[in-house]
């Protein structure tokens, strides 16, 4: 307390010192004193109020405790009085035991008297009930059955209350009412029969079905009452609870299963389309039955049964079970597709569970899948394996059939534009189209998977196609008379490549917009087949031209050979057939034919079959070369529909200008011009040209070649390389000896 006083004094001193720090504050001392006095009075008032409040609370609490003490004493006195009265009543309760037994006995006797009439008429009621059941008067039969059961159950209950251990009397009652249980079972059989035929009954006699449902509902109420009484007394009549409602749903489930299984009589042995027919029958039955449930059967059951949804689930589960069984069988590829298409598409479509009449009653999106995903994946994998095997066999068979056509003595068919073709592309892509249409029925991912598989198989097939085309050419070369229509069928093979390309692009546009790993390989292989086919045809042409090409740049040629005329006529004759080659291969083939003709012509020059003796021969040979170059130019311009042929034929004319030159001193300039036009020309080519001229000395040839090599510059003129494919034969010792001998003889 003293410490608190000291702290208060110290605080007050500090506050006073703070207020009187300046001299001018001394004038306000009286104001400070009054302000502090007011604060002190306010604090004292609040303290008094708080203390008064606490005192009032304590006073109230003491009053309540006093009242509680008085109440406790009153309760204690009351309990003492109750205990005294209870002790005095024990003897009275024991004296009333006889009265209690008499009451129980009176209750039993009253029950017996009440049921006495029924007891005596039990055999008669049993007979009447049996007759009613046979007459299908189920409601009346059930009413009499309830009377019998009530009589039996009441007697048993009273006997149980009097002496639950007296089994002999219980057995006596059971024996007397033994026919009642039989009637119950017989009635139940009739109920189940009606329910098993409910789909038919509800159309012809819905009242019968309503009666069955009413009977079952009554039995459910009795079951609940008996179960409640058992909880109180421990007694329950024999055969209770019957649980007919549960049994009813079991029977309905069995009915649905029977109806679905009843549609499964079609087998593979009887019909190749067995699965399609079976699934269609199932679809029709399910849709018809659910429509009947919605429109007729729902009205026969209480609303709380949720009848339509219950049947909807029953049919779904039953169909799921059956479809799973079908999936486990050894299905063929087309059967797998039929099953999966039905399961994944048809089942939830407007043709079945999503039918407009059913949509208002159910949500098909809440249905579980008919088949587990792993089963679907297994079926798809099995289909892919089977399809891969089948398509390999189909493609092999199609190619073998096409190969047989290649040996025919008649020309292949032509399309509407006159281009030769065989049926191979149509057969192949008809197979692809059919399988892709089937795959598209399942889902988009599977469709694209099948497309990729088709294109992958196409790569292997085209490789075999290319190999067979090579074999076809080699067999023809053994005997060029066979087959008679070799050229026409080789043209058809080339055209097929373009048809394959168009068909593949069409399939991809129709079934997938994505590129695949096989695209590049297919494009490359088709181009190779077409290019090789064109090459084979040109080989055929040049085999016929070989003799005439060998006449070029010889003495016979110089003196007036018709070799080039024959070459042009032969090429034009062949190209009458080659016109039946589709673009762009016909254009490429024409360009290649011109190139080969020019190359063979220049090769004849480079082989130095002739050496001009004088200027007249050089002029005559050069003019002939220029004329023949114009012939080639005219021919191939006609064959190529006006396309440029000057660059290749110009090489012959340029060489002719070298031969035609009369002034040897200008020879270097002319050769330089030739090298500028055709940068791929090599030294050995220049050497050969100068050797054919016959007037260039060895020193001149070396000087021209050496100077040309030193001063060779890259030309800005873009020309098609031609000399790079031409080799100059080396002069052997035998050739040199022959040339020397020829000079000596001259």
């Amino acid at each position: 307390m003293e410490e608190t006083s000291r702290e208060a004094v110290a605080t007050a001193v500090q506050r006073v010192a703070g207020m009187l720090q300046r001299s001018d504050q001394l004038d306000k001392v009286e104001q400070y004193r009054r302000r502090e006095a007011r604060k002190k009075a306010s604090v004292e008032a609040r303290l008094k109020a708080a203390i008064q409040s606490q005192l009032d609370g304590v006073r109230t609490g003491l009053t309540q405790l006093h009242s509680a003490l008085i109440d406790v004493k009153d309760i204690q006195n009351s309990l003492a009085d109750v205990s005294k009265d209870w002790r005095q009543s024990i003897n009275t309760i024991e004296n009333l035991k006889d009265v209690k037994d008499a009451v129980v006995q009176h209750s039993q006797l009253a029950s017996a008297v009440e049921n006495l009439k029924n007891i005596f008429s039990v055999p008669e009621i049993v007979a009447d009930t049996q007759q009613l059941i046979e007459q299908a008067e189920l409601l009346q039969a059930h009413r009499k059955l309830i009377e019998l059961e009530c009589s039996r159950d009441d007697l048993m209950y009273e006997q149980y209350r009097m002496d639950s251990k007296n089994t002999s009397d219980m057995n006596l009652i059971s024996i007397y009412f033994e026919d009642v249980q039989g009637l119950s079972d017989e009635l139940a059989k009739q109920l189940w029969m009606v329910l098993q035929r409910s789909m038919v009954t509800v159309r012809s006699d819905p009242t019968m079905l309503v009666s069955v449902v009413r009977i079952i509902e009554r039995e459910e109420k009795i079951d609940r009452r008996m179960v409640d009484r058992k909880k109180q007394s421990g007694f329950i009549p024999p055969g209770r609870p019957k649980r007919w409602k549960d049994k009813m749903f079991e029977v309905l489930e069995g009915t649905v299963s029977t109806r679905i299984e009843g549609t499964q009589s079609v087998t593979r042995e009887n019909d190749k389309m067995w699965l399609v027919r079976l699934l269609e029958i199932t679809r029709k039955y399910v849709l018809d039955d659910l429509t009947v449930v919605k429109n007729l059967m729902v009205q026969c059951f209480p609303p709380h049964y949720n009848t339509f949804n219950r049947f909807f689930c029953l049919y779904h589960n039953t169909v799921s079970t059956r479809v799973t069984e079908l999936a486990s069988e050894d299905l063929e590829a087309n059967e797998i597709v039929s099953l999966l298409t039905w399961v994944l598409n048809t089942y939830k479509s407007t043709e079945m569970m999503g039918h407009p009449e059913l949509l208002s009653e159910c949500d098909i999106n809440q249905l579980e899948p008919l088949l587990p995903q792993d089963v679907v994946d297994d079926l798809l994998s099995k289909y892919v394996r089977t399809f891969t095997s089948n398509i390999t066999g189909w493609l092999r068979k199609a190619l073998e059939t096409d190969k047989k056509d290649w040996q025919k003595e008649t020309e292949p068919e032509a399309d509407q534009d006159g281009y030769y073709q065989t049926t191979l592309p149509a057969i192949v892509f008809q197979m692809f189209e059919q399988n892709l249409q089937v795959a598209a029925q399942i889902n988009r991912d599977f469709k694209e998977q099948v497309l990729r598989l088709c294109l992958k198989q196409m790569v292997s097939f085209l490789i075999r196609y290319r190999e067979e085309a090579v074999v076809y050419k080699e067999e023809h070369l053994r005997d060029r008379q066979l087959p008679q229509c070799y050229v026409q069928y080789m043209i058809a093979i080339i055209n097929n490549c373009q048809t394959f390309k168009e068909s593949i692009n069409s399939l991809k546009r129709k079934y997938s917009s994505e590129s695949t790993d096989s695209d590049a390989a297919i494009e490359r292989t088709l181009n190779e087949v077409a290019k090789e086919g064109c090459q084979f045809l040109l080989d055929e042409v040049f085999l016929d031209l070989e003799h005439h090409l060998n006449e070029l740049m010889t003495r016979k040629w110089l003196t007036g050979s018709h070799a080039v005329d024959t070459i042009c006529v032969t090429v034009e004759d062949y190209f009458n057939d080659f016109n039946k080659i589709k673009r762009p291969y016909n254009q490429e083939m024409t360009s290649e034919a011109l190139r080969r003709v020019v190359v063979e012509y220049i090769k004849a020059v480079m082989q130095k079959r002739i050496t001009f003796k004088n200027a007249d021969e050089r002029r005559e040979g050069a003019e002939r070369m220029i004329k023949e170059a114009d012939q080639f130019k005219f021919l191939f311009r006609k064959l190529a529909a006006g396309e440029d042929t000057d660059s290749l034929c110009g090489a012959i004319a340029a060489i002719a200008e070298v031969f035609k030159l009369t002034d040897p001193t200008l020879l270097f300039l002319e050769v330089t011009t030739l090298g500028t036009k055709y940068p791929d020309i090599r030294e050995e080519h220049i050497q050969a040209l100068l050797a054919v001229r016959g007037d260039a000395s060895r020193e001149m040839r070396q000087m021209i070649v050496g100077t040309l090599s030193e001063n060779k510059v890259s030309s800005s003129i873009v020309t098609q390389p031609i000399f790079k494919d031409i080799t100059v034969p080396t002069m052997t010792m035998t050739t040199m000896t022959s040339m020397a001998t020829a000079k000596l003889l001259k």
Side-chain angles (χ1 to χ4, degrees), residues 494-508:
I494 296 169
N495 288 339
N496 285 348
C497 295
Q498 184 64 20
T499 306
F500 277 131
K501 285 185 179 182
E502 295 169 356
S503 300
I504 288 171
N505 292 333
S506 175
L507 280 183
K508 291 180 64 179

Side-chain angles (χ1 to χ4, degrees), residues 699-713:
E699 292 77 10
M700 182 181 290
R701 291 199 299 269
Q702 290 177 347
M703 183 271 295
I704 292 174
V705 170
T707 307
L708 195 63
S709 299
E710 292 175 2
N711 299 327
K712 194 169 186 178
V713 295

Side-chain angles (χ1 to χ4, degrees), residues 412-550:
E413 296 180 358
D415 62 12
Q416 66 271 19
D417 297 321
Y419 297 118
Y420 286 138
Q421 63 179 3
T422 67
T423 57
L424 182 62
I427 293 173
V428 169
F429 283 95
Q430 184 179 5
M431 289 188 295
F432 287 173
E433 178 78 23
Q434 290 173 352
N435 283 278
L436 284 167
Q437 286 177 355
V438 169
Q441 296 175 6
I442 297 177
N443 57 46
R444 178 178 178 180
D445 292 340
F446 185 65
K447 173 194 67 177
E448 295 190 353
Q449 182 182 354
V450 171
L451 176 60
R452 289 193 295 270
L453 179 60
C454 289
L455 295 180
K456 183 177 180 181
Q457 290 295 317
M458 191 67 187
V459 174
S460 303
F461 168 74
L462 290 177
I463 292 173
R464 291 196 300 273
Y465 191 54
R466 178 186 179 187
E467 293 170 351
E468 294 298 340
V470 173
V471 171
Y472 183 53
K473 186 260 298 188
E474 292 173 349
E475 290 176 350
H476 171 70
L477 290 179
R478 296 191 190 100
D479 183 357
R480 294 187 62 208
Q481 301 302 316
L482 297 175
Q484 293 183 8
C485 297
Y486 166 78
V487 171
Q488 290 80 1
Y489 277 99
M490 187 59 72
I491 291 173
I493 291 172
I494 296 169
N495 288 339
N496 285 348
C497 295
Q498 184 64 20
T499 306
F500 277 131
K501 285 185 179 182
E502 295 169 356
S503 300
I504 288 171
N505 292 333
S506 175
L507 280 183
K508 291 180 64 179
R509 285 194 302 270
K510 188 173 182 180
Y511 293 102
S512 176
S513 58
E514 299 179 359
S515 59
T516 68
D517 297 336
S518 305
D519 292 350
I522 290 174
E523 181 77 15
R524 182 177 62 253
T525 307
L526 284 173
N527 288 336
E528 290 173 353
V529 173
K531 185 176 181 180
E532 289 178 355
C534 293
Q535 196 68 37
F536 296 160
L537 290 176
L538 289 179
D539 291 343
E540 186 74 6
V541 175
F542 281 88
L543 282 173
D544 288 347
L545 298 179
E546 184 175 4
H547 173 70
H548 305 291
L549 291 171
N550 289 335

Side-chain angles (χ1 to χ4, degrees), residues 137-171:
E137 298 290 342
L138 301 183
L139 281 175
Q140 297 182 31
H142 185 249
R143 185 163 54 249
K144 288 186 175 294
L145 177 63
I146 289 177
E147 292 177 5
L148 291 171
E149 288 181 341
C150 285
S151 299
R152 180 198 64 186
D153 297 346
D154 288 346
L155 289 173
M156 284 187 168
Y157 178 61
E158 296 301 334
Q159 178 60 38
Y160 179 83
R161 289 176 60 191
M162 184 176 67
D163 187 1
S164 60
K165 297 180 180 179
N166 188 352
T167 57
S168 60
D169 289 348
M170 281 291 211
N171 290 335

Side-chain angles (χ1 to χ4, degrees), residues 549-561:
L549 291 171
N550 289 335
E551 286 187 10
L552 297 176
M553 302 306 295
T554 62
R555 284 288 165 189
K556 183 179 179 181
W557 167 79
L558 187 61
T559 57
S561 169

